[in-house]
Amino acid sequence: NVLNVAVAADGSFIATYTIPTQPAGSYNFSTDAFPTVIFPYNVTSDLSLSTTIARVGDPVNVGGRGFQADDAVRVYFDGNVVALPISDANGLFNATFTLPDVAYGNHTIYAEDHTAPSPSYTISIIPKLTVDHTTTAAGSIIKVSGTGFTAFSTVTFTLDGVTFGDVASASNVGGFSNVELTVPVVAAGS
């Protein structure tokens, strides 16, 4: 890329240069005026995430830049490989993965090619609750399932201030499945 700038009478100049999209590595930006000046710079890997707050089962897109050209990349979620994209000739990649069954809180995403890992980023998992039906009569039984709750915690269900059940979230993933609860008597339409 060529950047033309005006040089002041004292020999100084001010210029803004946008680093082009290119693979990881060391590069030089130089002047062609006398004396030649070389400005070295490094391109390193980085990521962008489609979201930083999500629920178990949501898709997450990870974009990478500054990776080695045409290289196998591994995308990690909490240290486990969740995607295996190939970077293009410019060191770019895109990959989508589904958030695994994990507990509430912050989790780490990073990627690496054969040379080095990218910076780590945090994605926050928030709870997700599903009910087998949302319209029912008092005294009816509903089935509830949840993911992304705090690990080893108790989830309490209330309707208009009336507690009608508790369930312990499963081990380290903060989930439970098809728990039967009896709907309490409350004012109609609540």
Side-chain angles (χ1 to χ4, degrees):
N1 292 344
V2 176
L3 179 65
N4 293 313
V5 296
V7 177
D10 67 356
S12 65
F13 66 89
I14 296 175
T16 300
Y17 178 71
T18 302
I19 304 296
T21 299
Q22 54 197 147
S26 296
Y27 298 90
N28 291 313
F29 174 75
S30 62
T31 64
D32 63 358
F34 183 79
T36 299
V37 178
I38 297 174
F39 303 95
Y41 66 91
N42 293 312
V43 173
T44 58
S45 61
D46 200 8
L47 298 178
S48 62
L49 304 177
S50 60
T51 186
T52 57
I53 299 173
R55 290 178 169 88
V56 169
D58 286 352
V60 175
N61 182 268
V62 180
R65 65 179 179 270
F67 286 81
Q68 293 295 315
D70 304 311
D71 200 7
V73 177
R74 291 170 306 285
V75 177
Y76 292 88
F77 178 85
D78 282 350
N80 298 306
V81 175
V82 291
L84 296 166
I86 303 293
S87 62
D88 66 13
N90 292 314
L92 302 171
F93 75 83
N94 274 301
T96 300
F97 71 95
T98 301
L99 284 169
D101 200 8
V102 293
Y104 172 83
N106 294 332
H107 298 268
T108 304
I109 295 177
Y110 70 95
E112 67 182 4
D113 55 21
H114 76 275
T115 59
S118 70
S120 294
Y121 290 88
T122 299
I123 188 164
S124 297
I125 300 298
I126 58 175
K128 177 181 178 181
L129 185 67
T130 57
V131 181
D132 66 343
H133 51 278
T134 56
T135 303
T136 189
S140 298
I141 293 178
I142 58 171
K143 290 183 181 180
V144 296
S145 297
T147 57
F149 286 86
T150 302
F152 305 105
S153 66
T154 299
V155 178
T156 301
F157 295 91
T158 60
L159 182 61
D160 281 352
V162 177
T163 299
F164 68 102
D166 294 315
V167 62
S169 65
S171 62
N172 63 340
V173 296
F176 49 90
S177 181
N178 291 317
V179 174
E180 292 185 353
L181 300 170
T182 303
V183 177
V185 176
V186 294
S190 297

